[in-house]
Amino acid sequence: MMNYFPDEVLEHVFDFVTSHRDRNAVSLVCKLWYRVERFSRQRVFIGNCYAISPERLIARFPGVKALTLKGKPHFADFNLVPQDWGGYVQPWIEALARSRIGLEELRLKRMVVSDESLDVLSRSFTNFKSLVLVSCEGFTTDGLAAIAANCRFLRELDLQENEIEEKKNHWLGCFPDSCTSLVSLNFACLKEINLAALERLVARNPNLKSLKLNRAVPIEALQRILMRAPQLVDLGTGSFVLDRDSDDSETYRKLKATIQKCRSIRNLSGFLEVAPRCLPAVYPICLNLTYLNLSYAAGIHGSELIKLIRFCGKLQRLWILDCIGDKGLEVVASTCKDLQELRVFPSDPFGAGHAAVTETGLVAISSGCPKLNSLLYFCQQMTNAALIAVAKNCTNFIRFRLCILDPAKPDPVTMQPLDEGFGAIVQSSKRIRRLSLSGLLTDRVFLYIGMYAEQLEMLSIAFAGDSDKGMLYVLNGCKKLRKLEIRDSPFGDMALLRDVGKYETMRSLWMSSCDVTLGGCKTLAKKMPRLNVEIINENDQMEFAHEDSQKVEKMYLYRTLVGPRKDAPEFVWTLV
Amino acid sequence: MEKSIKFEKDLNLEATELRLGLPGTKESEKQTPSAIKSNKRVLPDMSEECGYEDNSNVSHVKKCDQEVAPPAKAQVVGWPPVRSYRKNCFQAKKMEAETTGMYVKVSMDGAPYLRKIDLKVYKGYPELLKALEDMFKFSVGKYSEREGYNGSEFVPTYEDKDGDWMLVGDVPWDMFISSCKRMRIMKGSEARGLGCAV
């Protein structure tokens, strides 16, 4: 029946199909739908920049306006991937520029971006509106200056946790006076900023809804900025400290009064430097907050955090440091009844652990916040009993990431592995999509995961398991698995090679400090030409090259339609 | 001496002790009594079995071999899984805190002008008080939690972040240096009043 409709009708119907997975599904129905879909697709998501080439992207989706690209594997976040591994955006930007695609939005994660790329980007797309860079590196503020100067209709510049070399170039001043279209600006990861240029920029951009400052913006400047932008919905403070010796009661009063007028703020973050006695200035807006991120606010004692949280009855997402303590989490549990996402970060990852949370805090949260669906929890210890209780209280987990700071630590009460606890979680949260394990774990936990985690897409494993069986349970059972990353676990060639076809149904597999051998990886590579099997070997290559029985230190494999990449460095060996 | 025992605890030597051991081992658990409800801890044997206590360059964690970084704390590469950006932020703050001085004004009743001292320089109360005694040529009495400073006309006090005047020595040293805004050495009847209050 649909075949008798003109293409425009199909296109119009497809307009309502927005998620890229749904659009991918639509494109597989028949050739007609494939054709209509590909010409009308505007937003494209590429989870691995080496799975496809820019040329093929452009060929299939000539109308692309918004592109998301991801580069390095996730474990690169934890220094497990050496510098210069890859993930360069340059070829993408060059190809898009050459093809005269009308790119408007670019979102990059874990990629290497150069000043030249940013310059080309800024000059090649007249309607360019939005640049979001997450955990990227390789560029300086010169590149930002190009974006500021040349993108006449820029709405969004969002820099999240990037490594940016800062030149003395006042890049913010490169926004022309005619730039009045900004809606979102985030430069929290920079160390310096030109204050005068910032205040002028805010003053002439009345549509600014999201502003995240850096540590160089003092509290007095924040007050002036908020006077100009009371319409902000999303605020990241910079420095939130009143100078010790100055007469600061006047400043504090003005600040509190100004903040009070910002009735639209729903998301609050920053506090990169904070003096606890200034915190009460934000109390007036706490009751409107749905997202609060205090995870960079070191030096606030648990008691002060608790005082603040008591005002935040509408919180849905909370990111906090473990100095809140179990007692603080109990307050969160009794105050934030709508809480959906909680992230508790370690305030002192290598320290003596005097500020910490344990299973007690987590159980309290689960008991008070049944809507909880996303968790990231760094803690000193965890028990099976606690996890079982959490599983009973919260059955809606989509993301469950638990990091017990001491690797392979058992349940301290029973001295048992945490298999039963995690088993309970996956059994009760049937829609779980992402899981990170820690603590002492045997093959049994993987049996549970294979059996119950039917929707699981991403699994992170460290210091876990006893044998190949563990990995096999996961590969066999988790039909929707897309990303598997494993470190320091006794999984070897037998598990790796049992079902080689599985890896084409996944985005990628990372294995480091496991038992897979060079020979096993070679066998896999030979059987599966549409996988890139990369061996990352930072040690002496010559010595390594000849021993098939030698264990591979780091292996990263991913499906691809374009064969071995040509930009691999010397220490990356793609097996064929 | 009562005073020095109290200060020994305040110095919290355990926290600054250098040792090989991954976070979450026996020592660190001792410092979080409130966090652990049950009185069962990781048994000393457990942590020793895992080789945390040995001084060799390779320590064994249950079934896996890992390389141990040479410095005092044994760290596993890439563990805990915290983004380098976040780690660097906290490291920078730690280092900043360690290098910048913490100068506070010190006044003494009857003295014509104030002095400034860097609290960072001192490791604890005994050193600080000795330095003040030398600087202002007085002697401070014997400290006790119950009675404050006994046996002297002079009492060291400080103004904290909330603007209150507090007796020096009541709170742990770390808390003191992070909350002390300025100091005043009180003398005479005023001092005695403060010394008696708890």
Side-chain angles (χ1 to χ4, degrees), chain A residues 104 125 143 168 173:
Chain A
E104 294 181 9
F125 309 103
K168 306 236 181 272

Side-chain angles (χ1 to χ4, degrees), chain A residues 77-79 135 161 189 244 272 277 295-296 298 345 348 350 352-353 358 378 403 405-406 409 463 487-488, chain B residues 23-24 28-29 31-32 35 52 64 66 73 76-79 81 83-86 90 93-94 96 161 180:
Chain A
D77 281 351
F78 317 130
N79 294 336
S135 296
E161 302 192 351
C189 61
R244 262 169 182 271
L272 308 168
R277 68 201 175 102
S295 66
Y296 285 99
F345 293 94
D348 196 7
F350 307 112
T358 69
F378 284 84
C403 179
L405 289 169
D406 186 359
K409 182 170 176 167
F463 309 102
R487 62 166 293 181
D488 295 276
Chain B
S28 45
E29 281 160 11
Q31 283 158 10
T32 57
Y52 294 172
C64 310
Q66 288 161 61
K73 285 197 168 125
V76 177
V77 174
W79 192 267
R83 270 194 189 162
S84 350
Y85 175 83
R86 179 175 286 279
F90 286 113
K93 274 189 206 161
K94 254 191 163 170
E96 231 179 71
K161 284 178 177 165
C180 172

Side-chain angles (χ1 to χ4, degrees), chain A residues 154-166:
Chain A
L154 195 69
R155 290 207 198 132
E156 176 172 34
L157 178 59
D158 186 355
L159 307 169
Q160 295 177 30
E161 302 192 351
N162 302 290
E163 303 260 340
I164 306 175
E165 187 193 323
E166 299 184 47

Side-chain angles (χ1 to χ4, degrees), chain B:
Chain B
M1 254 184 24
E2 206 182 323
K3 178 164 93 172
S4 55
I5 292 170
K6 157 89 181 171
F7 291 137
E8 289 269 301
K9 275 203 267 193
D10 289 341
L11 287 175
N12 204 356
L13 290 169
E14 251 175 16
T16 56
E17 183 186 21
L18 293 180
R19 51 180 293 277
L20 281 175
L22 288 175
T25 51
K26 184 177 64 164
E27 254 68 8
S28 45
E29 281 160 11
K30 268 200 197 137
Q31 283 158 10
T32 57
S34 55
I36 299 171
K37 271 179 154 183
S38 101
N39 57 10
K40 291 185 186 174
R41 311 261 156 118
V42 175
L43 301 172
D45 320 319
M46 276 324 238
S47 38
E48 268 153 49
E49 238 174 54
C50 298
Y52 294 172
E53 320 265 12
D54 70 37
N55 289 318
S56 66
N57 273 333
V58 180
S59 76
H60 295 262
V61 178
K62 291 285 160 200
K63 312 160 203 71
C64 310
D65 288 344
Q66 288 161 61
E67 279 172 24
V68 170
K73 285 197 168 125
Q75 290 175 19
V76 177
V77 174
W79 192 267
V82 173
R83 270 194 189 162
S84 350
Y85 175 83
R86 179 175 286 279
K87 267 199 278 212
N88 294 340
C89 276
F90 286 113
Q91 222 128 15
K93 274 189 206 161
K94 254 191 163 170
M95 286 186 343
E96 231 179 71
E98 275 156 24
T99 53
T100 58
M102 213 176 231
Y103 282 93
V104 296
K105 293 180 189 171
V106 187
S107 64
M108 169 133 133
D109 292 352
Y113 50 82
L114 281 63
R115 304 295 304 268
K116 244 188 175 169
I117 57 170
D118 180 2
L119 291 177
K120 281 278 170 59
V121 162
Y122 309 105
K123 295 202 191 69
Y125 287 118
E127 270 189 48
L128 170 65
L129 290 171
K130 181 85 177 41
L132 290 175
E133 285 177 330
D134 289 340
M135 196 182 263
F136 290 97
K137 311 272 181 288
F138 72 105
S139 86
V140 81
K142 187 170 146 171
Y143 174 86
S144 74
E145 213 174 290
R146 213 160 63 82
E147 290 176 6
Y149 291 90
N150 252 342
S152 163
E153 270 194 284
F154 297 95
V155 179
T157 65
Y158 70 100
E159 184 185 4
D160 75 356
K161 284 178 177 165
D162 297 322
D164 298 319
W165 285 94
M166 317 287 293
L167 184 69
V168 169
D170 284 337
V171 301
W173 176 251
D174 283 321
M175 201 186 282
F176 166 70
I177 58 175
S178 65
S179 56
C180 172
K181 272 177 67 173
R182 70 173 77 123
M183 294 183 65
R184 176 181 160 202
I185 299 170
M186 289 186 175
K187 181 183 156 170
S189 53
E190 215 185 336
R192 256 171 269 128
L194 187 66
C196 291
V198 168

